[in-house]
Amino acid sequence: MLTIRKNSRRRAPRVRNPEHTRDRLVQAAFREVFRHGFQSAGIDDILAATNVTKGALYYHFENKEALGYAVIEEIVAKLTHDRWLLPLQRGKDKDPVDTLIGIVRALPNRPRDVRGGCPLVNLAQEMSQLDEQFRKRLERIFHAWQEGIAITLRRGQSQGAVRRDLDPEETASFLIAMIEGYEVLAKNAQDAKVWNMGIRNIVGWLNSLRAPGSRRRA
């Protein structure tokens, strides 16, 4: 008599990883917001990109605004930290102006980066007047960015590498305004040449911050 044996191997249960799911949602939301803006970002598109259910999304985030806050705090703030604050900290023992020039020259200049603009400025322009919680979170990023540059300039003044007639906070604010201004101009023109021209002008201005007699590097 032929005995048919059932397959004793059972499919392993699917392991849930809530933190991984949450991270995927935030990453997908960032991409959607970067492409279309926060107000036009579609929840259904975010879910389709992550293959996550609406119930899972609302398990992690109370509403769309809460998801937007996470995008600011976990991605937009990290971009500013990684591109500016981290290199400034690592360059503590180097010439401050050289460090700033190196950071500026390393900013993304690919056509797709220019077309999309700066995520921080995009959100500030769109949401600062509409949602106070957005505005406050974005303000904290701008403040940390400005303070990081100001600390570097103050250190340069104490080392004799940066002009003493400069106000570090005002100079830092002006640098940020130039960076973001050229990013907006390049985005509007949809032309990387505008951004590259801006970088050259900003580098020239940064060189003017050197103290008289300090060595200018190529």
Side-chain angles (χ1 to χ4, degrees), residues 46-72:
I46 295 170
L47 295 177
T50 56
N51 197 28
V52 171
T53 66
K54 188 168 290 188
L57 185 148
Y58 288 115
Y59 170 80
H60 292 285
F61 303 100
E62 182 180 358
N63 47 40
K64 182 181 176 182
E65 285 71 24
L67 179 57
Y69 302 154
V71 167
I72 294 174

Side-chain angles (χ1 to χ4, degrees), residues 57-178:
L57 185 148
Y58 288 115
Y59 170 80
H60 292 285
F61 303 100
E62 182 180 358
N63 47 40
K64 182 181 176 182
E65 285 71 24
L67 179 57
Y69 302 154
V71 167
I72 294 174
E73 294 171 345
E74 298 173 27
I75 297 184
V76 179
K78 188 176 187 301
L79 284 173
T80 305
H81 178 270
D82 291 350
R83 289 177 181 175
W84 284 91
L85 302 183
L86 191 58
L88 288 174
Q89 292 169 3
R90 289 174 173 171
K92 288 188 299 183
D93 299 326
K94 300 178 182 179
D95 180 279
V97 175
D98 289 336
T99 299
L100 288 169
I101 289 175
I103 293 172
V104 169
R105 284 177 169 163
L107 292 174
N109 63 350
R110 296 170 299 182
R112 67 180 184 182
D113 297 311
V114 171
R115 286 195 297 269
C118 172
L120 177 59
V121 169
N122 291 347
L123 280 170
Q125 291 176 326
E126 179 189 7
M127 298 301 298
S128 290
Q129 289 184 316
L130 303 179
D131 189 298
E132 182 66 6
Q133 293 303 314
F134 267 89
R135 189 196 68 78
K136 288 182 177 179
R137 285 169 169 80
L138 295 167
E139 182 182 40
R140 284 196 289 270
I141 298 174
F142 278 117
H143 179 75
W145 185 5
Q146 179 181 355
E147 183 59 21
I149 296 172
I151 289 171
T152 298
L153 293 172
R154 282 196 293 270
R155 184 174 67 250
Q157 288 177 326
S158 67
Q159 296 169 347
V162 174
R163 287 163 37 197
R164 292 187 177 275
D165 62 313
L166 300 176
D167 181 287
E169 283 73 21
E170 292 181 3
T171 305
S173 178
F174 188 62
L175 174 57
I176 292 171
M178 283 195 295

